[in-house]
Amino acid sequence: MEKLLFLGDEALAQGAIDAGMSGIYAYPGTPSTEILEHVQKSKVAQERNIHREWSANEKTAAESSLGMSYAGKRTMVCMKHVGLNVAADCFMNSAITGANGGAIVAVADDPSMHSSQNEQDSRIFAKFAMVPTFEPSNQQECYDMVFHAFEMSEKHQIPIMMRLTTRLSHSRSGVVTKSILAENELKLPKDSRQFVLLPAIARRRYKMLLDNQVKFEQESEMSPFNKYIDGKDKSKGIIACGIAYNYLMENYQDKECPYPILKISQYPLPRKQVEKITSECDEILILEEGAPMIEEMLKGYLNNSLNIKGRLDGTLPRDGELNPNLVKQAITGQKTEMNLIPEEVKGRPPQFCKGCGHIDVYTSLNEVMAEYGDGHVLADIGCYTLAALPPFEAINSCVDMGASITMAKGAADAGLFPSIAVIGDSTFTHSGMTGLSDAVIEKTNMVVIISDNSTTGMTGGQNSHALDRLVGICEGLGVEKDHITRINPLPKNREAMAELMRKEIAYNGVSVIIPTRECVQTLKRKLTKK
Amino acid sequence: MKRDIILCGVGGQGILSIATVIGYAAVESDLYLKQAEVHGMSQRGGDVQSHFRISDKEIFSDLIPFGGADMIISVEPMESLRYLPYLSQNGWVITNDKPFNNIVNYPELEEIHAQIKKIDNHILINADDIAKEIGSPRSMNMVMIGAAAKHLGIEFSSLIDGIKFIFGKKGEEMVNLNIKALEAGKAFAEKFSK
């Protein structure tokens, strides 16, 4: 037993290592990246040879993780909330196959969209798939819950979701660790057809999943992480989920909360405890980080029974993350008095690093696109998305991983000329390759620029699966050799790069331009390590 | 004992080294700690902040409430003002006075300084120059900790231990330079407050 300082992400990872995990799979994505990174840094993980390499995307990660569970070992797959969309096919179906070795799906949501394109709430996904979910309120629970989650996953043969949010993922605190468990032995499923979702088998297994909901609810009733704290004043009862419980307790640091509190950290909802608080109290305030999921469940569509307050009636904002002040206002109606930000303070958006190769790519691209007017560049997700901001204002889309190539294809199909896609190297191997194949099959008139910084830059410089493989991949997908060109994006090559873009725009078919120069941050990190 | 501190600056200025040193000192002093950081996109030259909380009692929220911070430690003057909504009535603003100008509409520095001087409890310190004078420009962050030391509620010797722990791997010279920076910051703050 030791007390260590961990980010929420790290506490989760350490819990998994100590609970006998044999493999972890992920694609980097803020705020989930540090989970797998912690395992990569762990000496024990090295000694045990725990699988800890990055996967091409969340779908391949989730499937590999399910394969490890199939083989009887404890496993975890990690992703940010939008990564679950990519892994959704596997996730939804794994609820029906169930697990063999303990399987955790760790998802870090990003309410307030600090580093994301939406704030979808993964608890709703888990409810959709009907898998049990743990939602830790602090770093210690991140650690402790992993042990419970693996046990429960093996006991009921079901994958378990572990839902974190940004403020827990990226906040550090002391965590008391336990002694490490042995890994599972390789052991195939007792039922050799458990993972064969042919309709006849799937129907049977789906009924099992439905029947198991009662057991999952019982687990939630008995969970040490769900807590009913009685209060004398029954005029109000408070249901607080995950990290929202901390924001509530922050307001009762030096005094007792007069109202009954139901802390929820394990789903499905513990029905009896919910019935108790709703029947005892005149009004229920629901504090949940993310979507008003419980609020909608309790309120119902017609809102004709309970007196429910939360994000839907304006007691709390409908969007964005919670904080201690919002919770205080929801309980007492009092606004916090605070200083204003002086108007001298200007916004300071993130920007390209000095010397970044993307700068040269966009300088050349803007010069060429000036000849055609605005609206021709469909881009993707990564550092290069910063070109949406001044001074470049060079791109017209950023939707999901890989959507640059396919949207540029669709726009070209509609008659847009020229139609340009800009995508990064790691995003290309994540989800760009299949779209490029579509374009090759139809000989779509478009130019794909793979701005290759030889790393997964935005999330901190993880290995890119595209490293030294881009030309080969494009050739393999059928792009004509004469229209795959690498160039070094340096200031001195900007004119040559612009010329190349002009030439490939003129070609009626698929062209791929690959400006390749290593990310300055990744390079710096490598040099300091040496 | 409880201190809620907003650490802030511009992505790349290394505000987390401040958190690491104070954090080590706090844990060695048997205090509870919570520290919320910013990772991801903003680290590329955007505004960054860390909510840093230490207490002798259990801490609940990872975020400091608005109006609740005892102190803002900023390595950049404009950034110190961005977090004023977090500052408590009698809170301290301790900020480097040297701007990090990476935007086209950066305001006149005099206006920024004037706003800082309006705050009752403030220390405006040229931490970059002080760090350069002692021959270690990269120790600016340690100068800032020194300037804040009196109000941290942690023994000065524990902060020195923190530096020894963090920079120990990089050799004795590095440790000594950073301790010198810490002491120089402390000396400046004492003079400034007189």
Side-chain angles (χ1 to χ4, degrees):
Chain A
M1 218 173 82
E2 235 183 323
K3 190 167 186 178
L4 298 161
L5 269 185
F6 283 138
L7 294 175
D9 277 354
E10 295 169 344
L12 183 70
Q14 191 62 44
I17 294 169
D18 293 347
M21 173 180 73
S22 298
I24 182 167
Y25 297 85
Y27 181 81
T30 313
S32 70
T33 312
E34 293 80 1
I35 308 173
L36 189 140
E37 280 186 331
H38 182 75
V39 180
Q40 287 183 333
K41 286 176 198 153
S42 157
K43 269 190 199 155
V44 177
Q46 208 175 352
E47 284 160 17
R48 287 193 165 188
N49 198 21
I50 295 174
H51 178 277
R52 54 194 185 281
E53 286 297 324
W54 295 107
S55 301
N57 62 39
E58 292 84 355
K59 178 177 186 284
T60 67
E63 290 157 351
S64 303
S65 182
L66 189 63
M68 184 161 277
S69 169
Y70 166 83
K73 302 227 175 180
R74 290 188 165 183
T75 177
M76 183 152 81
V77 56
C78 317
M79 61 202 75
K80 66 184 296 173
H81 57 330
V82 286
L84 184 56
N85 300 336
V86 179
D89 204 356
C90 177
F91 176 68
M92 293 300 294
N93 291 312
S94 70
I96 301 176
T97 64
N100 182 29
I104 294 176
V105 180
V107 190
D109 290 356
D110 190 19
S112 281
M113 303 178 238
H114 297 279
S115 262
S116 307
Q117 65 272 47
N118 76 26
E119 59 172 29
Q120 67 186 57
D121 187 328
S122 299
R123 295 175 307 159
I124 296 177
F125 235 125
K127 186 169 176 288
F128 185 25
M130 291 184 281
V131 305
T133 303
F134 286 77
E135 190 188 11
S137 69
N138 60 33
Q139 292 77 358
Q140 185 68 52
E141 282 190 344
C142 286
Y143 179 86
D144 294 337
M145 279 178 175
V146 180
F147 289 76
H148 284 257
F150 275 138
E151 267 175 39
M152 187 175 162
S153 173
E154 286 170 359
K155 182 175 162 195
H156 297 291
Q157 292 199 334
I158 185 79
I160 307 273
M161 180 186 284
M162 187 75 76
R163 187 234 186 186
L164 275 68
T165 49
T166 306
R167 296 302 181 178
L168 184 52
S169 282
H170 287 167
S171 174
R172 209 176 286 280
S173 191
V175 173
V176 180
T177 60
K178 303 178 197 182
S179 46
I180 186 166
L181 303 180
E183 291 176 68
N184 288 357
E185 297 291 330
L186 192 74
K187 186 171 159 254
L188 295 179
K190 271 190 209 140
D191 172 3
S192 65
R193 307 214 293 190
Q194 181 188 336
F195 287 81
V196 187
L197 293 185
L198 274 170
I201 304 170
R203 280 183 215 115
R204 184 169 55 80
R205 290 216 56 97
Y206 183 54
K207 278 198 202 314
M208 277 171 68
L209 176 66
L210 292 172
D211 290 344
N212 275 337
Q213 296 304 308
V214 181
K215 292 181 193 161
F216 300 161
E217 214 171 273
Q218 281 166 359
E219 293 277 356
S220 292
E221 296 286 1
M222 294 179 316
S223 167
F225 305 110
N226 290 338
K227 216 164 40 177
Y228 195 97
I229 306 158
D230 210 359
K232 284 180 202 126
D233 186 348
K234 314 282 188 200
S235 64
K236 198 195 295 282
I238 304 171
I239 297 179
C241 311
I243 200 169
Y245 174 74
N246 290 347
Y247 299 147
L248 172 64
M249 296 313 286
E250 180 71 22
N251 286 294
Y252 296 99
Q253 195 87 2
D254 311 311
K255 51 184 187 279
E256 214 168 281
C257 176
Y259 311 112
I261 299 169
L262 176 55
K263 169 184 180 277
I264 301 284
S265 281
Q266 185 175 335
Y267 304 78
L269 285 180
R271 189 180 296 271
K272 284 177 194 153
Q273 292 173 48
V274 173
E275 276 168 358
K276 182 171 153 66
I277 198 162
T278 51
S279 62
E280 270 182 7
C281 302
D282 304 337
E283 171 190 303
I284 299 292
L285 172 66
I286 300 182
L287 307 172
E288 42 193 336
E289 189 74 308
M293 182 183 88
I294 297 178
E295 197 178 339
E296 281 181 345
M297 284 168 75
L298 298 195
K299 207 164 188 166
Y301 185 67
L302 294 176
N303 188 21
N304 53 7
S305 53
L306 302 166
N307 189 6
I308 306 282
K309 307 276 181 201
R311 287 185 183 270
L312 293 172
D313 70 334
T315 303
L316 288 161
R318 176 63 184 80
D319 63 335
E321 55 183 358
L322 298 175
N323 62 46
N325 305 81
L326 286 173
V327 170
K328 180 182 170 192
Q329 195 179 334
I331 297 170
T332 63
Q334 290 168 4
K335 275 199 173 180
T336 310
E337 280 193 27
M338 55 176 113
N339 301 310
L340 297 173
I341 303 173
E343 59 184 35
E344 284 82 359
V345 177
K346 305 294 182 227
R348 199 189 298 259
Q351 48 191 266
F352 290 121
C353 306
K354 213 177 154 194
C356 172
H358 296 317
I359 294 176
D360 301 297
V361 173
Y362 282 117
T363 306
S364 303
L365 184 61
N366 273 357
E367 182 191 315
V368 175
M369 296 323 290
E371 298 154 20
Y372 294 97
D374 292 337
H376 294 270
V377 181
L378 290 306
D380 226 297
I381 296 177
C383 285
Y384 48 93
T385 319
L386 293 172
L389 307 173
F392 291 103
E393 298 176 276
I395 63 170
N396 307 104
S397 75
C398 159
V399 179
D400 66 66
M401 295 286 282
S404 56
I405 295 178
T406 27
M407 281 183 70
K409 181 183 181 302
D413 293 344
L416 183 73
F417 175 81
S419 188
I420 314 280
V422 178
I423 186 169
D425 50 315
S426 184
T427 308
F428 179 71
T429 43
H430 179 290
S431 285
M433 298 189 295
T434 44
L436 184 58
S437 173
D438 281 354
V440 167
I441 294 286
E442 294 186 39
K443 207 169 183 266
T444 308
N445 189 10
M446 61 189 280
V447 176
V448 177
I449 298 171
I450 307 178
S451 194
D452 175 11
N453 60 1
S454 309
T455 192
T456 314
M458 179 68 92
T459 47
Q462 295 77 17
N463 289 345
S464 165
H465 282 201
L467 190 64
D468 297 330
R469 297 169 67 206
L470 286 175
V471 172
I473 290 171
C474 292
E475 278 180 18
L477 289 171
V479 182
E480 293 161 79
K481 272 188 190 176
D482 293 347
H483 295 283
I484 304 171
T485 319
R486 283 181 71 174
I487 187 162
N488 190 347
L490 285 167
K492 66 175 182 185
N493 291 342
R494 283 177 185 173
E495 200 37 54
M497 205 154 31
E499 265 320 299
L500 177 63
M501 289 169 185
R502 284 190 190 97
K503 186 184 126 219
E504 295 304 339
I505 286 170
Y507 172 67
N508 187 357
V510 179
S511 305
V512 180
I513 298 173
I514 313 174
T516 305
R517 183 153 63 82
E518 188 170 22
C519 162
V520 289
Q521 297 288 350
T522 307
L523 183 66
K524 201 159 83 185
R525 262 191 299 272
K526 271 191 205 162
L527 293 175
T528 15
K529 255 190 198 166
K530 275 178 195 167
Chain B
M1 181 276 171
K2 180 170 88 75
R3 290 287 184 284
D4 287 338
I5 306 168
I6 298 279
L7 300 171
C8 55
V10 180
Q13 281 190 302
I15 62 163
L16 291 184
S17 67
I18 297 181
T20 315
V21 170
I22 306 178
Y24 180 86
V27 171
E28 286 299 292
S29 311
D30 279 333
L31 296 171
Y32 288 94
L33 176 151
K34 271 201 175 174
Q35 183 202 333
E37 302 166 4
V38 171
H39 295 207
M41 202 179 219
S42 314
Q43 285 175 299
R44 308 271 168 270
D47 53 276
V48 290
Q49 100 298 98
S50 170
H51 289 235
F52 187 87
R53 315 190 73 187
I54 45 182
S55 174
D56 53 9
K57 293 198 194 96
E58 190 186 350
I59 303 164
F60 283 101
S61 172
D62 297 88
L63 295 176
I64 297 170
F66 289 107
D70 300 290
M71 202 185 303
I72 292 171
I73 302 178
S74 180
V75 295
E76 208 280 344
M78 184 176 83
E79 294 308 319
S80 75
L81 299 171
R82 194 184 301 281
Y83 303 96
L84 285 184
Y86 285 100
L87 195 67
S88 66
Q89 287 299 315
N90 301 310
W92 281 84
V93 171
I94 298 166
T95 180
N96 190 3
D97 72 4
K98 180 130 185 260
F100 188 100
N101 190 347
N102 64 347
I103 51 174
V104 288
N105 54 345
Y106 197 93
E108 288 298 322
L109 190 58
E110 288 78 34
E111 290 172 21
I112 292 288
H113 284 182
Q115 284 292 343
I116 293 166
K117 285 172 187 162
K118 278 190 199 166
I119 301 152
D120 290 342
N121 295 325
H122 75 270
I123 296 174
L124 195 57
I125 175 170
N126 190 337
D128 280 271
D129 282 0
I130 292 175
K132 263 183 222 150
E133 270 166 35
I134 61 165
S136 178
R138 291 176 70 183
S139 302
M140 176 271 282
N141 289 324
M142 298 305 121
V143 177
M144 291 307 305
I145 299 179
K150 193 181 160 196
H151 309 288
L152 285 174
I154 291 175
E155 291 289 327
F156 196 71
S157 60
S158 300
L159 294 171
I160 291 179
D161 290 344
I163 288 181
K164 284 180 185 162
F165 178 78
I166 307 301
F167 295 98
K169 276 186 217 151
K170 293 178 178 173
E172 203 176 328
E173 200 194 332
M174 200 65 165
V175 170
N176 290 336
L177 276 175
N178 279 294
I179 293 175
K180 237 170 128 179
L182 184 78
E183 284 167 344
K186 183 180 172 227
F188 178 91
E190 278 163 7
K191 254 195 279 170
F192 188 91
S193 301
K194 263 179 194 168

